[in-house]
């Protein structure tokens, strides 16, 4: 049946080639933007899924920017079900140029290895990192980007931490380059870890002995909720109240400090959809209005009202699907060209969202003119009324 009527549908669509071409171009641009925006949204809603399910992050209850005293670490470590505890302090440095920003964290090297076994590096490099107070290790992606090699001295200008002499430039000796246990983790190896030894000794006395957050690795992921509640209960009503959550929740919460990005993305997507709704709706209404005598002839030839309704709806679906397909293919190509450190991809979730949007769009813009065509009276149509 579809093959039988396809020449009619295609002929109607190509009746005004210039108008159809511009409409398809507009639809493609709109779905390109929707595809890119939803790819970002997909990362925000599920991009942290690869993180360890057996890791918790303990931060100060007020804000993750509020440091916690190191004396909390052994108390957290003593809670039943906790396997390892590490600590991490955001360093906030830039390399050579303000544009060269990447995440750096001051950590205890051995505790980093215990809490993040997903990072892999040769044994000698781990030992050197542990024993070198000014040592640092860089992810493979980061090292390749800047051409670093083991033994290089890397100056980082911190916009947060000053040394005791007032300088913001810290010198770090690169002692190792780490990768991930699999390709997904290796693609995210675009950060640097600094030995907490030099960092804590070099900063002001008032800030010494403080940690940004504690990283808690639990023995059984099923116990995570209980352990998180127990950690927070232990420090409840104290001057160091904590908030413990899964690593995924912490990462998404960190992103939301910049604003409700998900809401912004959805708002822009909604505005784009509203625009193409008006544009495509006008195109379909105009196309059907111009063909009223032709539709009347079809009815004279024996086409039923339902068949005429189906033809107009099919034209709407074909127009929307072609435009959406080109736009999403472009979105996939654009995200595919992004470097690994930007894990924004037009994945299956984006395509499913776009498919649902396309079906809804085709129905909304196609149904009114299709109903008009179905209820068309032959005498009035042929008379030009």
């Amino acid at each position: 049946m579809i093959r039988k009527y396809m020449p009619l549908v295609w002929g109607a669509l190509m009746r005004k080639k210039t108008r159809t071409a511009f409409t398809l171009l507009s639809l493609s641009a709109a779905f390109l933007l929707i595809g890119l925006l939803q790819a970002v949204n997909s990362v925000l809603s599920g991009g942290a899924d690869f993180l360890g399910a057996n890791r918790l992050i303990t931060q100060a209850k007020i804000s993750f920017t509020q440091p916690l005293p190191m004396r909390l670490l052994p108390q957290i470590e003593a809670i039943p079900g906790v396997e390892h505890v590490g600590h991490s302090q955001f360093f906030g440095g830039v390399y050579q140029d303000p544009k060269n920003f990447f995440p750096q964290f001051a950590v205890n090297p051995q505790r980093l290895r215990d809490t993040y076994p997903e990072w892999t590096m040769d044994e000698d490099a781990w030992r050197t990192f542990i024993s070198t107070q000014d040592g640092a290790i860089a992810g493979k992606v980061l090292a390749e980007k800047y051409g670093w090699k083991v033994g290089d001295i890397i100056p980082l200008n911190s916009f947060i931490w000053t040394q005791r002499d007032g300088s913001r430039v810290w010198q770090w000796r690169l002692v190792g380059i780490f990768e991930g246990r699999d390709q997904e983790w290796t693609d995210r190896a675009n950060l640097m870890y600094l030995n907490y030894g030099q960092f804590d000794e070099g900063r002001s006395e008032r800030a010494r002995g403080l940690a940004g957050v504690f990283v808690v690795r639990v023995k059984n992921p099923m116990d995570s909720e209980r352990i998180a509640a127990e950690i927070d209960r232990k420090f409840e009503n104290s001057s160091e109240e904590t908030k413990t959550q899964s690593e995924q929740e912490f990462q998404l919460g960190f992103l939301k400090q910049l604003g409700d990005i998900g809401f912004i993305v959805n708002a822009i997507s909604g505005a784009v959809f509203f625009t193409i709704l008006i544009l495509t709706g006008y195109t379909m209404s105009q196309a059907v209005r111009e063909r009223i005598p032709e539709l009347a002839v079809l009815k004279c030839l024996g086409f039923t009202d339902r068949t005429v309704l189906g033809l107009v709806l099919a034209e709407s679906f074909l127009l929307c699907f072609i435009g959406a397909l080109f736009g999403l293919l472009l979105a996939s190509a654009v995200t595919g060209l992004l470097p690994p450190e930007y894990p924004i991809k037009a994945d299956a979730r984006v395509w499913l969202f776009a498919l649902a949007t396309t079906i809804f769009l085709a129905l909304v813009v196609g149904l009114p003119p299709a109903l008009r065509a179905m209820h068309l009276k032959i005498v009035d149509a042929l008379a030009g009324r």
Side-chain angles (χ1 to χ4, degrees):
M1 184 66 72
I2 295 176
R3 186 179 298 177
K4 177 181 177 181
Y5 291 117
M6 183 53 70
L8 268 178
V9 175
W10 183 254
L13 201 60
M14 291 292 104
R15 189 171 184 270
K16 296 282 187 178
K17 293 183 177 63
T18 302
R19 181 174 63 198
T20 299
F22 278 111
T23 304
L24 286 174
L25 187 63
S26 301
L27 280 168
S28 298
F31 274 95
L32 167 62
L33 185 56
I34 287 175
L36 294 175
L37 289 171
Q38 290 307 311
V40 172
N41 212 18
S42 180
V43 171
L44 294 177
S45 61
D49 290 345
F50 79 100
L51 296 172
N54 60 342
R55 265 192 301 273
L56 302 171
I57 304 295
T58 298
Q59 65 172 66
K61 188 174 182 179
I62 299 173
S63 169
F64 67 86
T65 59
Q66 181 73 26
L68 290 168
M70 201 67 75
R71 64 173 181 273
L72 271 60
L73 190 150
Q75 298 180 60
I76 297 173
E77 213 164 23
I79 294 175
V82 171
E83 187 174 22
H84 296 289
V85 181
H87 57 87
S88 175
Q89 177 64 67
F90 182 67
F91 184 73
V94 294
Y95 173 64
Q96 294 182 338
D97 188 280
K99 296 178 181 178
N100 297 335
F101 172 77
F102 48 86
Q104 314 106 26
F105 300 94
V107 298
N108 177 291
Q110 184 58 57
R111 290 185 180 276
L112 170 70
R113 190 178 188 185
D114 292 337
T115 51
Y116 281 93
E118 294 89 351
W119 296 132
T120 61
M121 192 167 60
D122 65 79
E123 196 66 34
D124 288 342
W126 278 117
R127 282 197 292 265
T128 306
F129 186 34
I130 292 169
S131 61
T132 306
Q133 190 159 332
D134 63 344
I137 58 174
K140 181 181 179 182
V141 172
L142 194 63
E144 289 178 348
K145 180 178 180 180
Y146 293 110
W148 293 338
K149 60 184 182 299
V150 172
D152 287 351
I153 301 298
I154 300 171
L156 295 178
N157 190 340
S158 176
F159 52 80
I160 300 176
W161 305 102
T162 57
Q163 299 188 65
R164 282 179 293 175
D165 62 4
S167 173
R168 289 186 174 273
V169 179
W170 299 66
Q171 302 283 345
W172 299 97
R173 187 184 306 277
L174 189 66
V175 297
I177 296 173
F178 63 89
E179 300 181 41
R181 67 180 179 187
D182 54 33
Q183 191 58 46
E184 189 171 23
W185 275 85
T186 298
D187 287 345
R188 289 167 170 81
N190 63 327
L191 68 163
M192 175 180 278
Y193 290 109
L194 317 170
N195 194 314
Y196 185 81
Q198 173 175 254
F199 170 70
D200 199 44
E201 184 178 325
R203 58 182 174 168
S204 66
E205 292 186 15
R206 188 177 59 179
R208 286 187 191 175
L210 297 176
V213 298
F214 294 109
V215 182
V216 183
R217 185 176 176 86
V218 302
K219 294 176 183 176
N220 186 351
M222 300 299 291
D223 294 332
S224 294
E225 191 172 338
R226 173 189 64 80
I227 293 171
E230 195 165 338
I231 293 172
D232 294 340
R233 191 162 49 247
K234 179 179 280 290
F235 306 109
E236 195 173 13
N237 297 322
S238 71
S239 58
E240 291 92 24
E241 286 191 300
T242 61
K243 176 184 177 182
T244 304
Q245 56 194 325
S246 70
E247 191 175 23
Q248 293 95 328
E249 291 171 331
F250 176 78
Q251 294 286 356
L252 294 177
F254 183 82
L255 288 174
K256 288 179 180 177
Q257 294 292 320
L258 303 175
D260 194 341
I261 300 176
F263 172 78
I264 295 171
V265 167
N266 287 328
I268 297 173
S269 297
V272 172
F273 177 79
F274 183 73
T275 303
I276 61 174
L277 183 68
I278 294 174
L279 170 68
T280 314
Y282 174 79
T283 299
M284 284 301 304
S285 296
Q286 183 71 15
V288 171
R289 189 161 49 248
E290 291 173 354
R291 298 203 315 273
I292 284 178
E294 297 172 18
L295 294 172
V297 171
L298 289 179
K299 288 191 174 186
C300 288
L301 294 175
F303 282 71
T304 65
D305 290 343
R306 288 188 176 181
T307 303
V308 172
L309 173 76
L311 287 173
V312 177
L313 277 177
E315 182 182 344
S316 174
F317 271 88
L318 185 60
L319 180 69
C320 292
F321 272 101
I322 292 175
L325 179 62
F326 280 127
L328 287 174
L329 287 174
L330 281 172
S332 296
V334 170
T335 56
L337 293 174
L338 293 176
E341 59 263 36
Y342 300 103
I344 300 173
K345 303 295 177 187
D347 56 14
R349 282 179 289 187
V350 175
W351 279 80
L352 286 174
F353 176 85
L355 177 62
T357 302
T358 305
I359 293 172
F360 182 72
L361 176 67
L363 282 173
V364 170
V365 303
L367 198 55
L371 288 172
R372 181 185 179 187
M374 183 179 74
H375 296 301
L376 193 65
K377 295 186 182 301
I378 297 174
V379 175
D380 292 341
L382 291 176
R385 295 197 294 269

